[in-house]
Amino acid sequence: MLVVTNELAGRAEAEAVESALDILREAGDVETATCGHVDDVDRILDARRGRRLVVVGGDGSLHTMVGALLRRGEAATCEVALIPLGTGNDFARGVGIPVDDLHAAARIAAAGIAGPIDLIVADGDGVVINAVHVGAGAEAALKARPLKRHLKIAAFPIGAVLAGFTARGWRLRVTVDGTLVSRGHRRVLMAGLSNAPTIAGGTGALAPDADPTDGLADITVSFAVGPLARVGYALALRRGRHPGRDDVVHLRGRDVRIEGEPFHVNADGELTGPFRTRHWTVAPGAWLLVR
């Protein structure tokens, strides 16, 4: 196995990684590589030589590695395992990898079976393993970003509260598989595509029934822009009950385009933008996950 760790991990994380490595070493030969910058990724993957790749980190770390494998034409043949040591760990939670027991996650990484997982691919060069969303959810991530270093997962609900008070909504045109879901006249609070159920460290169940192996993205468009509607939507989102609201459209599809007023994008916790248009498609079974 080739194990990729994060150069920015603190002391506590480093000790947890070493403990997980002990379990991996019991199963076979292990080489470790430290990733401190995106420029390190190709160097690390060049050294893989057909071995199982074990990513120690969160959704962002996995997002980076899978994106590079896709670009290199190796995503369909490289077995990727995940030991969740990120802030949110939403994807791990959604696919059944233990997020509170690194030893159990390490045993899965060492002995689990690799199977195909869907990937959401953005126009240009981006990928999404867990979820991508625009509007209030992305603004919440922007608000939470400076707090994550000190507050960890607690930064997510604080960011959501701050964004909830300030977001007025965006005039966005949303098209799913060629059908208009939002024409751009009505303000949209949030629009997102999901490959797995939760976002924001499990504090939001954006797609409670999402299945990362069904070849479809779960798509949510919320028009809950009024003050009381925003509160109601936020409470329903936490429980995964928002698809039943009258001001929410929830459906499945393979091709999604969002365009309109400038918006930021939160893809697996990675923030980009602002954009005026973005396009995503589902690539069924595009990479191999060990679980």
Side-chain angles (χ1 to χ4, degrees), residues 13-239:
E13 289 87 351
E15 292 175 354
V17 170
E18 193 58 38
S19 179
L21 286 173
D22 287 341
I23 291 175
L24 296 179
R25 291 184 183 112
E26 292 175 1
D29 293 335
V30 173
E31 179 184 351
T32 61
T34 301
C35 187
H37 191 273
V38 67
D39 292 341
D40 296 331
V41 173
D42 279 318
R43 171 185 56 79
I44 291 170
L45 293 179
D46 285 344
R48 185 176 64 86
R49 297 188 300 277
R51 291 176 291 178
R52 176 171 289 187
L53 185 70
V54 181
V55 178
V56 182
D59 291 353
S61 299
L62 188 61
H63 167 112
T64 298
M65 286 295 169
V66 173
L69 288 168
L70 186 72
R71 171 175 53 79
R72 292 163 60 101
E74 301 170 14
T77 57
C78 175
E79 295 185 354
V80 181
L82 175 65
I83 297 179
L85 201 63
T87 303
N89 297 316
D90 283 290
F91 183 74
R93 185 180 291 106
V95 297
I97 296 173
V99 298
D100 298 318
D101 188 341
L102 288 186
H103 288 177
R107 286 190 286 270
I108 292 172
I113 303 300
I117 296 289
D118 300 339
L119 190 64
I120 299 172
V121 182
D123 50 2
D125 58 357
V127 301
V128 181
I129 57 161
N130 184 69
V132 55
H133 47 96
V134 310
E139 295 303 309
L142 281 171
K143 303 288 186 185
R145 185 160 56 179
L147 306 175
K148 283 174 65 175
R149 183 176 183 84
H150 301 290
L151 298 181
K152 304 295 184 184
I153 199 170
F156 291 122
I158 295 173
V161 170
L162 294 173
F165 279 118
T166 58
R168 296 176 55 248
W170 291 258
R171 297 192 188 280
L172 299 176
R173 181 182 173 95
V174 182
T175 308
V176 179
D177 292 342
T179 300
L180 273 174
V181 174
S182 171
R183 297 183 177 274
H185 306 305
R186 189 178 175 189
R187 289 189 178 273
V188 171
L189 179 71
M190 180 180 184
L193 294 77
S194 300
N195 201 31
T198 70
I199 59 173
T203 61
L206 185 60
D209 297 320
D211 178 355
T213 65
D214 64 1
L216 298 169
D218 282 44
I219 299 137
T220 302
V221 181
S222 170
F223 299 98
V225 295
L228 291 178
R230 278 181 284 175
V231 172
Y233 174 74
L235 292 174
L237 181 65
R238 288 184 62 87
R239 299 177 176 87

